[in-house]
Amino acid sequence: MNSPVTHSSSDSRATSRLEHVPVTKLRGVGSRIAEKLTRIGVRTVADMLFHLPHRYEDRTRVSPIGALRPGDVIGVVGHVDLTQVQFGRRRSLVSVISDGTGMLWMRLFHFRATQQRALSRGVKVHCFGEVRRGPKGLEMIHPEYRIVDDEHVVVEETLTPHYPATEGLHQLMLRSLTEQALAMLRDSRYTLTEHLPTSVLEDLGYPDLCEALDYVHRPPPDCELSSLEAATHPAQHRLAFEELLSHHLSLRRRREMLERLQAPALPASENLAPLFVESLPFALTTAQQRVHQEVADDLARPRPMHRLVQGDVGSGKTVIAALAALQTLEAGSQVVFMAPTELLAEQHLATFKSWFEPLEIDVGWLSGRLTGKKRQTILEQLLHGTIRMVVGTHALFQQGVNFEQLGLVIVDEQHRFGVHQRLELLDKGKSGELNPHQLIMTATPIPRTLAMTAYADLHTSVIDALPPGRQPVDTVAVSSSRRAEVVSRVHHACNDGSQAYWVCTLIDESEALQCQAATDTAAELTEALPDLEVGLVHGRMKAAEKEQVMSEFKAGALDLLVATTVIEVGVDVPNATLMIIDNAERLGLAQLHQLRGRVGRGAKKSACVMLYKSPLTEAARSRLEALRETGDGFEIARRDLDIRGPGELLGTRQTGQLTFYIADLIRDESLLPAVEKTALVMLDDHPDSAIALIERWLGDTVNYADV
Ligand code: ADP
Ligand code: MG
C-alpha cells in the first residue's frame, strides 16, 4: 500500500495533521452529531479513526442455503417458492426461498401488503440476516432483503464494520464518517503521524498505522473473521499495543522524573531497628527480611523511594512499615503513616505506640475529626519537630499540615485511596530541595497487567509468604434461612475461648442504614446469646467510642464484635477465629477476601461463614465459589479483574486514568512484555515519539502528574 503515514522525523508542514482536523470537517457532521460524537470521545478525524468496530458482518459473499447453520449471520440468494400469511401466536408473512441446495423460511412480523405482493413466486431475493431454527426448518426473522434481478447481486467489497452503538449515532452514519476519515488518511494533504519506530514495527510484524486502521475499519473479504472478532489480528494488536505503550511510557517518564529528584539519604538503622526486632514475639519471615532489605537500601539513597509493597492480608506488612519508620527516625527525619479509614488508623496508632514507646519514641495522631486545640497542638509539634512520628488518615495531607523535616510517607492499604491521591502525596511534605521517601502498601495483589499500566512508576516488592503456622480459613456459604445454626456456631466458638466477628453489609445504602443494620443485629445477637459479651462498632460512632470497643475486643473482654464493613482493612486480633459476613452476596471479591483476612491471623484454625439470601445471581454465586475455592489473594485478584475490570479494582474509575479506547487489559495481556521492552527503546532512542504517543492517547489526562 502506498502509505501516506509520515514518520515523526519527516517534514509535514504542508499537510494538516488529522489530530488537528475537527470532526465537523466530515460531511454530515453538524453541531448535533458533533455533540454526540464528543460524548464517545470523538472530536477530531484522528479520534474517528481510533473509534474501532467491535464486530463485523460478512456481506462480501452469499452462502448456499444448504450450507447454513443456526447462528450464521450471512447472505443468501434464492427464488421465492411461496409467500403466505401465517396465523400463529403472531401473524407473520412467510416466504419460502430455495436456491437448489436447500430451503430457507424468511419470516416478517411487520409487513405491508405491498411486500406480500412483491415477494411473489419466482422472484429472486438477496437476504442478509441471522439464521435460526424455525418450526419447519432454518429461517431468518426480519432479514435485510432486496429483490434482485438475475444479473444484479451486489455484494460488499469489504466486511461490514459494526461500531459500538451510541444513542443517535447509527451504523450507517458511523460507516459514512469512517469512510471519509479513511479517505483523508489516504489523501496526501493530510497526515496521521506514525510514532512507532520502523524497527519496532518490523520486529513485531505489525503493519504501519495507516494500514492497520484501514484493515480494521474495512477488512478485506479474505480476512480471518474469527481473529478479527477476537481482536487478535496483528492490525488490532498494533493499535492496542500503541495505546498500552503510551500508558506505560507516561508512567515510565514519571519514574524517570522522580529519579532525578533529591531525598534525604537515610542510613540503615543500627540501634532502633535491631532493638525492635528483638522485642517482637516472633522472627521475621524470609519474605519480610528480603522486603525490609529492599526498603532499607532505597532509603539509604539520596533519591526518593517510591516502593509498593504487596502482601496478602496477614502477610505482616506493618512490621515492614515499622522498620522503615525506625530507619528514618534514627536518621533524624520525620515519618507519616497514613491509613484509609479512621478505624484502621486508630488500630495502627495503638500498634505503633506499643512498639515504639518502649524505644522512647512518641507517636502522634491526626485525623479529620481532630479539631480545635488538640489539632493546633499536633500541627505545631509536627512543624517544630517535637513529634517525629505521626499516624492518621487522609487529613494528614490537608492544608496547614507542615513538617520540620519529613523523611518518609507510608501509605497503608493504598488501593483504598486510588491513584489520584497517591500522586497528590508527592508534592506534599517537600522541604527545600528534599522530597520524602514513599512506602506504599497494599493487600490487593496487583496482576501483572495492572502493575504495568497503573504502577509502572513504582518499584515493587512482594511479601510472598505468610508467617508460619497460618492455616487456610475454612470458608462456607450458608443460606440465611439457616441463620439460627450460624448463631449457635458463634456460641460454640466463643465458649471455646475464641472470638468472632459478625459483619453487617448493605451495599448502595446509606451509611446510616448500614449502622442501623449493625445496631439491630447487635441487639438481636445480645438477646440470642445472653452469656456472651457482644460489642458494636460502626462508622458513626465517636472515635473514642470505637477505640474503646476495639481495645476491649483486642483485650478479649468482648467475645463477639458486630461491625459494619469499617473493619474491612487492617484490623488485627489474632484470637478472633470466626468471621460471619451477613449478606455476603452483595460484596465484591476483594472486599470479601479482605474481610475474611481478619481471621486466620493466629495459630488457631479459623472459619468464615458467608451468609447469603437466596436466590443468588450467577455472578454472586461465582464470587462465593471463588472464595471457597481459594485463599490466595493473587488468584482472587485475578478473578476479580475478570469479573469487575481494572477500573473498579483500582478504584480509579473517576480519574479516567485507566480507561482504554482500544486495549483491553485482560484480552491484550500477551502484548505487555513487548510493551515494556519497546518503552525502554523509545525512551532512549526516540524520546520525541514517546512524548507524541503519550499526548495522542492520554492527552490532557497526563496533567494529573502535576497535581
Ligand atoms: P497485613 O499484611 O495484613 O497488614 P499485619 O501486619 O497486620 O498484616 O500482620 C498480621 C499479623 O501477623 C499481626 O498480628 C502481626 O503481628 C503478625 N506477624 C507479622 N509478622 C509475623 C511473623 N514473621 N511471624 C508471626 N507473626 C507475624
Ligand atoms: Mg495491614
Side-chain angles (χ1 to χ4, degrees):
M1 170 182 285
N2 177 14
S3 167
V5 170
T6 60
H7 276 265
S8 309
S9 52
S10 65
D11 180 27
S12 57
R13 257 172 301 169
T15 59
S16 307
R17 295 175 51 189
L18 289 178
E19 280 110 336
H20 296 159
V21 181
V23 77
T24 45
K25 205 57 187 162
L26 301 175
R27 233 179 315 111
V29 184
S31 61
R32 204 173 49 85
I33 298 287
E35 195 199 303
K36 290 187 168 137
L37 286 169
T38 305
R39 248 179 267 153
I40 53 170
V42 175
R43 292 182 180 79
T44 67
V45 174
D47 293 338
M48 195 72 244
L49 287 167
F50 290 124
H51 187 67
L52 302 187
H54 63 149
R55 63 182 183 85
Y56 300 90
E57 280 171 358
D58 186 355
R59 299 179 187 225
T60 64
R61 62 196 176 94
V62 295
S63 164
I65 290 175
L68 297 181
R69 291 166 175 277
D72 289 349
V73 178
I74 190 84
V76 296
V77 174
H79 287 98
V80 175
D81 292 339
L82 170 77
T83 293
Q84 64 179 31
V85 177
Q86 280 188 359
F87 298 90
R89 223 156 24 96
R90 270 177 83 188
R91 207 168 69 106
S92 60
L93 181 70
V94 177
S95 300
V96 182
I97 296 162
S98 64
D99 67 351
T101 68
M103 283 201 286
L104 177 75
W105 278 257
M106 172 168 102
R107 189 183 295 277
L108 305 179
F109 289 108
H110 308 280
F111 59 93
R112 291 184 302 270
T114 48
Q115 283 173 293
Q116 183 178 356
R117 280 196 296 278
L119 287 164
S120 59
R121 184 181 165 84
V123 161
K124 189 172 178 181
V125 282
H126 179 190
C127 321
F128 182 90
E130 185 179 345
V131 180
R132 12 173 130 202
R133 237 182 273 284
K136 298 207 182 108
L138 295 181
E139 59 179 45
M140 283 186 185
I141 295 173
H142 276 281
E144 290 174 34
Y145 76 92
R146 193 160 44 189
I147 292 175
V148 288
D149 42 47
D150 269 334
E151 293 88 324
H152 270 89
V153 175
V154 187
V155 292
E156 302 283 341
E157 280 171 19
T158 67
L159 295 193
T160 307
H162 263 253
Y163 295 92
T166 305
E167 211 184 310
L169 285 172
H170 302 297
Q171 292 300 324
L172 282 177
M173 165 67 81
L174 290 167
R175 269 174 226 159
S176 148
L177 298 181
T178 48
E179 193 65 47
Q180 295 175 61
L182 289 167
M184 288 168 91
L185 190 60
R186 284 180 220 108
D187 184 329
S188 59
R189 285 170 296 166
Y190 299 99
T191 56
L192 186 63
T193 308
E194 173 67 84
H195 296 308
L196 293 183
T198 318
S199 60
V200 168
L201 292 177
E202 277 170 7
D203 282 355
L204 295 169
Y206 285 158
D208 74 24
L209 183 56
C210 171
E211 219 178 300
L213 287 170
D214 214 43
Y215 196 99
V216 169
H217 283 284
R218 298 292 182 273
D222 62 352
C223 76
E224 258 184 63
L225 188 56
S226 60
S227 80
L228 267 180
E229 301 220 295
T232 55
H233 190 278
Q236 290 159 310
H237 268 174
R238 187 239 121 90
L239 297 168
F241 177 87
E242 181 176 317
E243 188 178 25
L244 288 170
L245 179 63
S246 72
H247 279 250
H248 190 64
L249 281 170
S250 95
L251 289 168
R252 279 278 174 176
R253 262 174 55 81
R254 273 189 66 76
R255 178 143 130 191
E256 289 190 345
M257 271 156 43
L258 295 173
E259 272 158 17
R260 285 197 288 273
L261 300 176
Q262 291 172 33
L266 311 167
S269 159
E270 285 177 359
N271 300 316
L272 295 175
L275 275 176
F276 168 66
V277 171
E278 243 169 68
S279 76
L280 289 173
F282 48 75
L284 298 188
T285 63
T286 320
Q288 282 172 318
Q289 283 170 16
R290 188 191 68 242
V291 172
H292 161 54
Q293 198 54 53
E294 286 165 355
V295 173
D297 291 349
D298 282 356
L299 292 175
R301 288 192 201 103
R303 306 271 164 239
M305 166 174 83
H306 291 98
R307 186 166 288 277
L308 175 72
V309 171
Q310 292 184 45
D312 207 346
V313 269
S315 62
K317 294 182 292 291
T318 322
V319 172
I320 301 294
L323 286 165
L326 292 173
Q327 181 168 348
T328 309
L329 295 167
E330 191 166 319
S333 291
Q334 287 168 295
V335 178
V336 159
F337 185 107
M338 189 170 94
T341 66
E342 186 113 353
L343 188 78
L344 179 53
E346 285 158 12
Q347 296 289 292
H348 279 309
L349 178 68
T351 304
F352 281 103
K353 278 190 160 171
S354 74
W355 283 346
F356 285 11
E357 275 170 6
L359 303 170
E360 298 183 341
I361 298 164
D362 284 339
V363 183
W365 167 251
L366 183 62
S367 89
R369 300 213 179 154
L370 202 66
T371 50
K373 184 103 188 74
K374 280 190 177 161
R375 181 179 165 83
Q376 209 44 48
T377 307
I378 180 80
L379 291 184
E380 276 162 25
Q381 287 171 321
L382 292 174
L383 181 62
H384 299 304
T386 46
I387 284 279
R388 314 298 298 171
M389 161 108 193
V390 61
V391 174
T393 59
H394 195 232
L396 283 165
F397 284 90
Q398 283 165 356
Q399 295 258 312
V401 185
N402 294 298
F403 300 87
E404 189 227 1
Q405 162 71 277
L406 182 60
L408 171 66
V409 175
I410 302 169
V411 184
D412 193 26
E413 306 295 351
Q414 113 81 25
H415 61 284
R416 297 287 304 261
F417 287 102
V419 172
H420 212 82
Q421 280 156 319
R422 168 163 73 79
L423 298 172
E424 212 171 305
L425 279 175
L426 288 175
D427 281 356
K428 308 270 181 171
K430 242 178 127 165
S431 54
E433 281 304 294
L434 294 185
N435 296 270
H437 296 278
Q438 271 195 61
L439 179 63
I440 290 154
M441 306 198 292
T442 181
T444 298
I446 299 157
R448 188 182 150 71
T449 40
L450 278 184
M452 282 210 28
T453 38
Y455 289 96
D457 59 333
L458 298 172
H459 296 272
T460 305
S461 297
V462 182
I463 309 181
D464 50 10
L466 296 178
R470 294 282 168 81
Q471 302 171 52
V473 177
D474 274 335
T475 304
V476 289
V478 172
S479 159
S480 58
S481 61
R482 290 167 52 200
R483 194 178 169 95
E485 281 169 50
V486 175
V487 172
S488 85
R489 183 165 180 175
V490 170
H491 194 200
H492 280 298
C494 293
N495 278 344
D496 265 0
S498 285
Q499 289 166 281
Y501 296 99
W502 190 297
V503 179
C504 302
T505 66
L506 285 173
I507 289 291
D508 293 335
E509 309 269 5
S510 70
E511 197 197 9
L513 283 177
Q514 202 175 115
C515 298
Q516 191 54 50
T519 309
D520 295 346
T521 305
E524 174 210 324
L525 291 172
T526 307
E527 202 180 302
L529 302 166
D531 56 334
L532 297 188
E533 291 300 323
V534 180
L536 169 67
V537 63
H538 62 63
R540 301 203 131 196
M541 285 162 61
K542 291 212 173 67
E545 288 175 309
K546 278 187 290 179
E547 207 173 319
Q548 175 70 25
V549 175
M550 287 313 296
S551 60
E552 283 175 18
F553 188 62
K554 218 166 173 161
L558 295 173
D559 302 298
L560 175 62
L561 183 65
V562 178
T564 56
T565 48
V566 290
I567 63 150
E568 179 185 343
V569 284
V571 173
D572 181 39
V573 181
N575 190 48
T577 59
L578 181 59
M579 161 69 64
I580 315 295
I581 306 173
D582 227 341
N583 300 317
E585 77 278 4
R586 304 189 195 191
L587 297 187
L589 258 184
Q591 213 177 0
L592 287 168
H593 180 61
Q594 288 284 342
L595 279 172
R596 178 173 60 177
R598 297 312 112 217
V599 294
R601 300 173 86 82
K604 276 204 255 177
K605 185 82 186 157
S606 293
C608 173
V609 177
M610 303 181 289
L611 270 175
Y612 65 85
K613 283 212 176 62
S614 310
L616 280 179
T617 63
E618 201 46 51
R621 180 180 304 279
S622 71
R623 284 197 299 271
L624 299 187
E625 242 159 51
L627 247 327
R628 274 195 355 239
E629 283 164 14
T630 178
D632 175 356
F634 270 93
E635 175 58 24
I636 286 173
R638 171 85 231 176
R639 295 198 195 183
D640 210 20
L641 183 61
D642 285 344
I643 297 174
R644 287 197 300 164
E648 295 253 3
L649 198 63
L650 288 173
T652 52
R653 245 180 335 168
Q654 280 85 14
T655 72
Q657 204 236 336
L658 272 179
T659 42
F660 294 95
Y661 293 103
I662 294 176
D664 175 319
L665 281 184
I666 296 162
R667 189 189 66 202
D668 299 324
E669 188 176 358
S670 65
L671 305 179
L672 291 170
V675 165
E676 200 165 15
K677 213 172 115 209
T678 307
L680 298 179
V681 173
M682 292 202 54
L683 289 171
D684 281 348
D685 303 342
H686 309 273
D688 294 344
S689 298
I691 292 169
L693 267 182
I694 296 170
E695 263 168 26
R696 169 179 289 166
W697 292 100
L698 289 149
D700 47 21
T701 62
V702 180
N703 290 339
Y704 71 81
D706 303 334
V707 203

